[in-house]
Amino acid sequence: MFRHSPAIPDLRLSECFVAMVYITNMYIIYEIVPSFLCFSVKAEMIYGMLAMLLVLIPIKQLSGYSYPSTIWRIMVAFIPFIILFYLVFIAIGVGLAIYYRI
């Protein structure tokens, strides 16, 4: 996603890693706020969804793309991640089934 970004033309993997750590820490701080304020579970879920939208701002600033392009690129990167996650989950389930001979 960031290899050819307009904002930083020669972005390296280490710089991208530091930026992603910053974005993750920012999201964690946003997620801690409702637990301190004792929101209900429904309010915490809504706040969590809104906090996920706030993650788009630093990613857009880092990449230099427009918001629609940034959202599209995140989705393109997220779909293979989900597919691989499910494949690993299925492989673990099959491995456990073979191991325990269910």
Side-chain angles (χ1 to χ4, degrees):
M1 177 175 170
F2 298 116
R3 188 170 187 179
H4 301 289
S5 69
I8 306 169
D10 59 345
L11 185 67
R12 292 182 177 79
L13 180 62
S14 58
E15 295 167 341
C16 186
F17 179 74
V18 170
M20 289 299 130
V21 169
Y22 162 74
I23 292 169
T24 304
N25 288 337
M26 181 188 71
Y27 178 72
I28 290 170
I29 290 170
Y30 288 153
E31 283 291 316
I32 290 173
V33 171
S35 62
F36 287 140
L37 298 177
C38 300
F39 288 153
S40 67
V41 174
K42 186 176 178 182
E44 284 187 31
M45 286 180 16
I46 292 171
Y47 188 84
M49 288 182 209
L50 291 174
M52 288 176 74
L53 290 175
L54 286 174
V55 170
L56 288 174
I57 295 170
I59 292 176
K60 185 221 177 281
Q61 291 173 345
L62 176 67
S63 66
Y65 295 112
S66 65
Y67 279 110
S69 180
T70 302
I71 293 169
W72 176 80
R73 289 172 185 273
I74 288 173
M75 287 302 181
V76 167
F78 191 66
I79 291 170
F81 172 77
I82 293 297
I83 292 170
L84 287 174
F85 176 78
Y86 281 122
L87 288 175
V88 168
F89 185 72
I90 290 170
I92 290 172
V94 169
L96 287 174
I98 292 171
Y99 182 75
Y100 290 111
R101 297 180 187 175
I102 296 178

